[in-house]
């Protein structure tokens, strides 16, 4: 499976608490070892304002937040995440990126969390 947007997905959530951008359903049927790659930068200020990645295996009804917090990196970086086995062989996988401003103190610079070049791959 390869889900590769030809245009970048940008998440620009200035001073918004718990804002998110999500994909539509992605089919991983017949695939294992699902890997998510993306470029990111974040001007969030530590544990009070940060970006995060989440996934849903039921078409967006429930979400699981991955533990990494993306913050304090104003230049572009690349990330590679191997998704859990629960993301394999389903037709309802969704990927989301979220900007969290925990105390809603306008604790980020525009845009505080930016995502580009999202690529989701798996093995047959």
């Amino acid at each position: 499976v390869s889900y590769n947007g030809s245009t970048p997905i940008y998440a620009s959530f200035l001073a918004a608490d718990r804002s998110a951008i999500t994909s539509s359903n992605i089919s991983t049927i017949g695939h294992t070892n699902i890997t998510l790659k993306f470029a990111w930068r974040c001007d969030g200020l530590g544990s009070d304002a940060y970006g995060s990645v989440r996934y849903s295996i039921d078409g967006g009804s429930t979400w699981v937040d991955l533990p990494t917090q993306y913050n304090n990196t104003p230049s572009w970086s690349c990330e590679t995440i191997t998704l859990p086995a629960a993301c394999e062989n389903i037709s309802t996988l969704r990927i989301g990126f979220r900007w969290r401003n925990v105390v809603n103190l306008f604790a980020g610079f525009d845009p505080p969390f930016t995502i580009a070049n999202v690529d989701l791959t798996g093995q047959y």
Side-chain angles (χ1 to χ4, degrees):
V1 66
S2 182
Y3 176 80
N4 185 357
S6 58
T7 55
I9 296 173
Y10 290 101
S12 180
F13 308 121
L14 181 61
D17 184 24
R18 298 185 179 135
S19 297
I21 187 170
T22 62
S23 72
S24 56
N25 285 349
I26 302 166
S27 177
T28 62
I29 293 188
H31 295 87
T32 59
N33 299 319
I34 309 298
T35 302
L36 172 66
K37 295 180 183 180
F38 58 95
W40 68 279
R41 65 182 184 177
C42 187
D43 281 339
L45 303 175
S47 63
D48 288 336
Y50 59 90
S52 64
V53 178
R54 59 200 320 216
Y55 68 89
S56 172
I57 60 171
D58 58 11
S61 294
T62 58
W63 291 89
V64 176
D65 290 319
L66 296 175
T68 301
Q69 293 181 0
Y70 299 91
N71 53 33
N72 295 323
T73 305
S75 58
W76 286 103
S77 295
C78 293
E79 182 75 5
T80 300
I81 300 169
T82 300
L83 296 177
C87 297
E88 299 173 359
N89 206 33
I90 60 173
S91 62
T92 54
L93 176 65
R94 290 188 180 201
I95 302 296
F97 297 93
R98 184 161 73 161
W99 167 246
R100 301 230 355 146
N101 190 348
V102 176
V103 292
N104 205 18
L105 293 176
F106 301 92
F109 301 101
D110 191 15
F113 188 38
T114 306
I115 304 298
N117 302 324
V118 177
D119 188 45
L120 188 67
T121 58
Q123 297 176 345
Y124 279 107

